[in-house]
Amino acid sequence: MSINNNILYKREIDLKALRSSCFLIGPRMTGKTYLLNQLKATAYFDLLEPQLEIQFRSRPHEFWEELSLLKSKSLVVVDEIQKVPQLLDYVQMGSS
């Protein structure tokens, strides 16, 4: 069986109905990060960057400080948040 690696899939995400935070989950290498990069986010935190992961893992309050500087209802993307699960507490605080 042959697999055609040239197949293109249209990936879209519609956030109009979104009122709060959400998770984008799925198998590895399926285009989640690609989709997130298409969004017009006010702030984008990619925790695959080792320095950023280390910073927020050792001082998670700095994540909250950065969020506090943003306007209300700003679109914030945190890619690979499972690497620093403590940040989810701040996400919950910000969406309440």
Side-chain angles (χ1 to χ4, degrees):
M1 181 162 114
S2 172
I3 296 176
N4 183 348
N5 289 330
N6 295 324
I7 296 174
L8 297 177
Y9 295 96
K10 186 174 182 182
R11 292 176 174 91
E12 297 178 337
I13 190 167
D14 183 7
L15 300 178
K16 292 180 190 117
L18 186 62
R19 302 275 183 250
S20 187
S21 58
C22 72
F23 288 97
L24 178 60
I25 58 174
R28 293 184 56 142
M29 305 300 296
T30 57
K32 297 180 300 295
T33 296
Y34 173 84
L35 266 177
L36 295 175
N37 283 323
Q38 305 310 304
L39 298 175
K40 297 196 180 349
T42 306
Y44 190 102
F45 301 96
D46 184 357
L47 297 178
L48 279 180
E49 290 182 34
Q51 197 58 39
L52 191 60
E53 179 190 353
I54 291 167
Q55 173 188 346
F56 288 152
R57 184 178 302 280
S58 61
R59 297 179 306 280
H61 66 280
E62 289 184 7
F63 177 71
W64 179 250
E65 290 169 3
E66 293 207 30
L67 292 181
S68 315
L69 299 173
L70 302 175
K71 290 182 181 178
S72 178
K73 306 289 183 192
S74 293
L75 178 61
V76 177
V77 171
V78 184
D79 200 0
E80 301 291 335
I81 196 163
Q82 76 277 5
K83 293 178 141 301
V84 188
Q86 303 94 311
L87 300 184
L88 289 169
D89 293 336
Y90 293 108
V91 170
Q92 185 176 6
M93 283 173 37
S95 51
S96 55

